[in-house]
Amino acid sequence: MPLSNSQYDAIMRGYDRRQYEHYREQLARIDEIYARFPRVREIQEEVSACSVRQAEQLFDGDPGALPALRGQLDALRQERERILTEAGYPPDYLEMRYTCPDCRDTGYIGRRKCHCFRQEEIRLLYSSSHLETVLEKESFSTLRMDVYDEEQRRVMPAILRSCHEFADHFRPGEKNLLFYGSVGTGKTFLSNCIAKELLDQGYSVIYFTSFQLFELLSRAVGTQAEQLRESCEPLLGSDLLILDDMGTELPNTFTVSRLFQILNERALAGRSTVISTNLSLEQFRDIYSERIFSRITSSYTLLKFTGGDIRIRRKINDKLF
């Protein structure tokens, strides 16, 4: 999953902060106990002295050093724990504590990312996807078939199967989707459903409306291809790019050529894209060029949405009931 360097660094700085905070808390606990029970400080000093003696005797080749020193250390540990528990403290009160004991707040278990790192990764990807608030309400679990009219109920089961298959068996670059058809028929909602499923699986998802995308591309007028690649890193590097409401912006020759470049580079890099539009296929071809239309029709699954506007029907029903 392609976290950017800055995103990765932000997560690791979070681990550094946790370690430092827990270290300060441990020092405060140690100072507290040493002040109340001077014998605990003496025990800790004896433990350190025993460890040094153990190293020296092992270096000298004394075979009996290890068992004897282990016995001394066990006796000192038991005395320290007895002092703490008799005073009402847990026996491990002086030990370092961790937010995640599994990785000890390092983010890694060996060379493998810890589950806490993965959770932080998903949280960060949610916030960078521009979908964090929306996806609290829009997901496959909140989808209701009763919002669809009779025509939509005939076609939606097949569309939903395609969307579930895309999300459940997602492999970046293997499949792309084009949602097209009437206004207000649930295209954006299903895009969000797919986004939530993939974000929950730990994939990176970036969402742009066509207006946001073309505004970004317009600011890149005059830049070289390499500069565009750097400025549009999330567009090119995310596992899934969602382009919503294509056709509502005012495209021009430059932005259309940049759009082709983005779609082409994502395809070559093995990245998937979901596009939604209220345009017909013919209108889409006329606006975005034969070249883009050919790219999409040859490598995207085309899903046609029909029927009436769900949002209008909901408003009418809310007023009636």
Side-chain angles (χ1 to χ4, degrees):
M1 178 175 51
L3 276 179
S4 68
N5 289 337
S6 61
Q7 289 174 320
Y8 179 86
D9 290 344
I11 292 177
M12 296 310 296
R13 283 196 299 272
Y15 281 113
D16 289 341
R17 284 193 297 271
R18 290 180 205 173
Q19 292 175 24
Y20 178 67
E21 289 168 3
H22 289 314
Y23 175 67
R24 288 186 59 188
E25 291 167 0
Q26 182 191 32
L27 290 181
R29 293 194 301 273
I30 290 173
D31 288 343
E32 173 195 356
I33 295 301
Y34 283 0
R36 289 194 62 187
F37 309 104
R39 174 56 187 156
V40 174
R41 180 193 293 271
E42 294 172 1
I43 289 172
Q44 198 60 38
E45 291 171 351
E46 290 179 32
V47 167
S48 299
C50 282
S51 299
V52 171
R53 287 199 305 273
Q54 177 181 330
E56 291 173 345
Q57 291 176 346
L58 286 173
F59 184 77
D60 292 339
D62 183 352
L66 188 58
L69 290 172
R70 278 180 177 168
Q72 294 176 33
L73 290 173
D74 285 342
L76 290 169
R77 177 181 54 79
Q78 291 172 13
E79 183 183 358
R80 181 185 62 198
E81 291 181 357
R82 178 180 55 77
I83 293 172
L84 291 173
T85 54
E86 287 179 355
Y89 293 94
D92 62 349
Y93 188 68
L94 300 181
E95 302 300 322
M96 177 73 84
R97 294 177 182 173
Y98 303 99
T99 303
C100 179
D102 294 333
C103 70
R104 298 191 170 190
D105 294 336
T106 64
Y108 283 83
I109 301 175
R111 295 185 177 182
R112 181 173 54 85
K113 288 179 181 177
C114 182
H115 59 85
C116 66
F117 188 105
R118 298 287 294 177
Q119 284 301 116
E120 185 63 18
E121 202 170 26
I122 291 170
R123 184 201 64 76
L124 186 60
L125 292 171
Y126 257 96
S127 62
S128 66
S129 69
H130 303 163
L131 290 169
E132 191 170 14
T133 303
V134 173
L135 298 189
E136 293 176 0
K137 302 175 183 177
E138 299 189 1
S139 65
F140 284 122
S141 63
T142 62
L143 187 148
R144 293 168 42 198
M145 289 299 292
D146 62 354
V147 302
Y148 298 115
D149 61 26
E150 186 176 343
E151 179 182 358
Q152 289 164 339
R153 289 174 191 170
R154 287 197 299 269
V155 300
M156 286 309 297
I159 291 176
L160 288 173
R161 280 196 299 273
S162 295
C163 292
H164 274 293
E165 182 180 352
F166 181 88
D168 294 343
H169 306 287
F170 182 76
R171 293 293 181 274
E174 285 190 4
K175 291 184 179 181
N176 307 282
L177 299 176
L178 173 67
F179 297 159
Y180 71 101
S182 310
V183 174
T185 49
K187 297 183 292 297
T188 298
F189 186 96
L190 281 177
S191 297
N192 292 340
C193 292
I194 290 171
K196 177 170 173 55
E197 290 295 313
L198 297 190
L199 285 166
D200 285 347
Q201 294 174 42
Y203 291 104
S204 56
V205 179
I206 297 296
Y207 171 95
F208 275 89
T209 65
S210 63
F211 180 82
Q212 291 169 333
L213 172 68
F214 280 83
E215 185 179 34
L216 175 66
L217 296 179
S218 295
R219 292 199 297 268
V221 173
T223 59
Q224 299 298 317
E226 191 60 36
Q227 291 174 307
L228 177 72
R229 212 171 275 115
E230 292 177 4
S231 63
C232 296
E233 180 186 355
L235 284 169
L236 300 174
S238 60
D239 294 318
L240 178 66
L241 170 64
I242 297 176
L243 299 179
D244 195 21
D245 274 345
M246 293 294 289
T248 57
E249 76 295 335
L250 294 174
N252 55 49
T253 302
F254 171 79
T255 54
V256 168
S257 68
R258 290 308 199 196
L259 173 63
F260 177 80
Q261 181 182 350
I262 288 169
L263 297 180
N264 192 54
E265 290 203 18
R266 285 186 60 80
L268 293 175
R271 303 286 184 251
S272 295
T273 305
V274 172
I275 296 174
S276 72
T277 180
N278 299 327
L279 302 172
S280 67
L281 293 180
E282 293 77 11
Q283 290 170 326
F284 194 93
R285 179 197 59 204
D286 293 342
I287 291 176
Y288 295 110
S289 79
E290 187 70 44
R291 186 168 61 161
I292 291 178
F293 184 71
S294 176
R295 159 68 70 183
I296 289 175
T297 54
S298 64
S299 56
Y300 284 58
T301 299
L302 309 184
L303 299 175
K304 184 177 182 179
F305 289 65
T306 61
D309 192 323
I310 295 171
R311 290 167 293 192
I312 293 177
R313 192 159 56 252
R314 275 179 171 168
K315 287 181 180 179
I316 293 172
N317 288 340
D318 289 343
K319 289 180 179 179
L320 292 175
F321 300 102

